[in-house]
Amino acid sequence: MITIYDWFGYELPIKKRYQLIKKAGFDGVLLWWSEGFGRNDYRNGPQIARDADLFLENIHTPIQDQNSLWMDNLNGEALMDCYLQCISDCAEFEIPTMVVHLPDEKHPCNALGLYRINRIAEKAGRLGVNVALENLHNFANLSYVLEQVDSPNIGFCYDCCHHNNYNLSDDLLSMYGSRLMALHLHDNGGSYAQHQLPFDGTIDWDVIMKKIAETNYSGATALEPMNWEYKDLSAEEFLYEAFEKAKRLEALRYDRFI
C-alpha cells in the first residue's frame, strides 16, 4: 500500500485534491487534523477521501503548541484536551492511528508530562487507537516516553528526514522498530532541507528501506513531500512523480523477500 500526506502544498478544493491523489495511483492518505493553515474543512476530509476510494491511514495532530504538553498551565491543559479529542475523533471516523509531536529537547519530560502521556495511552487503549510519536529534535523525550510507557497503543512514527537532520548517529529503527506505527518518507534537500520527493536529496534509500523492512512493519509506504522545490510542476505532475518514486521505495522495501 502506498499513501501520501494530503496537504502537499497546492491550493486545491478538497474533493479535487483527493481525486487527483487517487488518479495518480495512491491507495490512501495521511490527513492533517486541525483548522491550522487555513484548513477549516478538515472534519469533512474523511468522508471525501473515502468517496474517492482512499484508505485513511492516520491523522496528524496540531503542532503549533507542541512544547506545552509538559507545562502546568492553560496551554498544557488545552493541548492535552486536544490530543484526547483527537483519539475520540479517530474512533469516530474509524482512523486507526494519530501522529503526535512531543516537546523538543529544550523541554525535558517531567512527572506531569508522563502523567498526561499515560492518560493518552489509557484512552487510546480503551478506544483502540494507535498514538505514533514522531521523531524530530526531541530524541530524549521520545526515547524516555517509549521506555517509560509500556502500552501497545503508544508507538513510533519514523520520519527519515528528521532522523537525517537531527540525530543521524542514533539507529532509531533498530531501537524502536518493534513499535513502528507510521512512516513519513521524504528527502533531505532543497532550501528547506526536508520534504523533497524521494531520490531528489541526500537520503540513502537503500539503507532506510532495508531497515524498515527488517522491523517487519506491515503498514503503508507513506510519503510526506511538499511542492516547495517543485513550483514548475502542476499538482497532477507532482503527484504522478511522487507515486513513481514511492513505487521505487516499495521495490526496495520488499526486495529482501524476493
Side-chain angles (χ1 to χ4, degrees):
M1 179 178 291
I2 297 175
T3 61
I4 190 169
Y5 173 55
D6 65 347
W7 294 92
F8 44 88
Y10 294 85
E11 292 297 327
L12 296 165
I14 191 169
K15 184 176 181 179
K16 179 70 171 178
R17 178 181 302 278
Y18 290 141
Q19 289 173 340
L20 291 177
I21 289 171
K22 184 64 179 180
K23 183 178 178 182
F26 289 95
D27 302 296
V29 285
L30 292 58
L31 285 74
W32 178 257
W33 201 252
S34 87
E35 295 181 351
F37 308 114
R39 300 165 191 177
N40 297 324
D41 54 356
Y42 74 97
R43 293 185 70 86
N44 295 321
Q47 187 57 53
I48 298 171
R50 288 190 170 111
D51 288 345
D53 195 27
L54 290 167
F55 169 69
L56 307 182
E57 185 184 2
N58 58 56
I59 64 170
H60 201 306
T61 61
I63 63 173
Q64 288 88 341
D65 205 25
Q66 64 194 40
N67 289 327
S68 296
L69 188 58
W70 315 148
M71 296 182 182
D72 187 9
N73 57 26
L74 292 177
N75 286 345
E77 284 296 317
L79 185 61
M80 175 66 181
D81 290 343
C82 172
Y83 290 159
L84 293 175
Q85 182 60 51
C86 286
I87 294 171
S88 296
D89 290 344
C90 282
E92 176 184 350
F93 290 102
E94 299 181 328
I95 301 170
T97 303
M98 60 187 247
V99 174
V100 172
H101 286 187
L102 292 178
D104 64 30
E105 301 285 67
K106 295 179 181 178
H107 303 84
C109 187
N110 53 26
L112 176 60
L114 196 57
Y115 165 75
R116 286 174 172 164
I117 292 292
N118 277 297
R119 281 189 62 196
I120 289 169
E122 185 280 327
K123 183 170 184 177
R126 182 159 40 85
L127 295 184
V129 174
N130 291 325
V131 179
L133 308 175
E134 182 177 354
N135 60 294
L136 294 99
H137 189 52
N138 62 1
F139 176 69
N141 286 324
L142 175 68
S143 59
Y144 181 76
V145 168
L146 290 177
E147 289 164 8
Q148 293 295 316
V149 181
D150 184 19
S151 166
N153 297 92
I154 300 293
F156 178 37
C157 170
Y158 177 67
D159 188 301
C160 62
C161 199
H162 293 163
H163 184 196
N164 189 87
N165 288 344
Y166 299 130
N167 52 303
L168 188 57
S169 61
D170 298 299
D171 189 350
L172 298 183
L173 286 168
S174 293
M175 296 168 72
Y176 304 120
S178 64
R179 298 178 73 174
L180 190 60
M181 293 176 170
L183 296 173
H184 286 172
L185 302 178
H186 49 115
D187 219 326
N188 180 48
S191 57
Y192 290 84
Q194 60 182 331
H195 294 298
Q196 280 201 297
L197 291 173
F199 306 102
D200 287 357
T202 63
I203 300 288
D204 188 334
W205 290 105
D206 287 330
V207 170
I208 293 296
M209 300 314 293
K210 179 176 183 291
K211 284 187 172 292
I212 290 171
E214 288 172 348
T215 70
N216 294 315
Y217 172 70
S218 60
T221 297
L223 299 193
E224 196 192 29
M226 299 294 290
N227 74 326
W228 299 333
E229 309 294 332
Y230 304 93
K231 301 298 186 181
D232 57 326
L233 298 180
S234 67
E236 294 92 332
E237 291 168 333
F238 178 83
L239 287 168
Y240 277 114
E241 186 166 343
F243 184 68
E244 289 304 311
K245 294 190 173 188
K247 287 196 295 184
R248 289 174 62 187
L249 295 182
E250 282 267 277
L252 291 174
R253 179 178 171 184
Y254 292 110
D255 182 61
R256 77 184 186 106
F257 297 108
I258 297 173

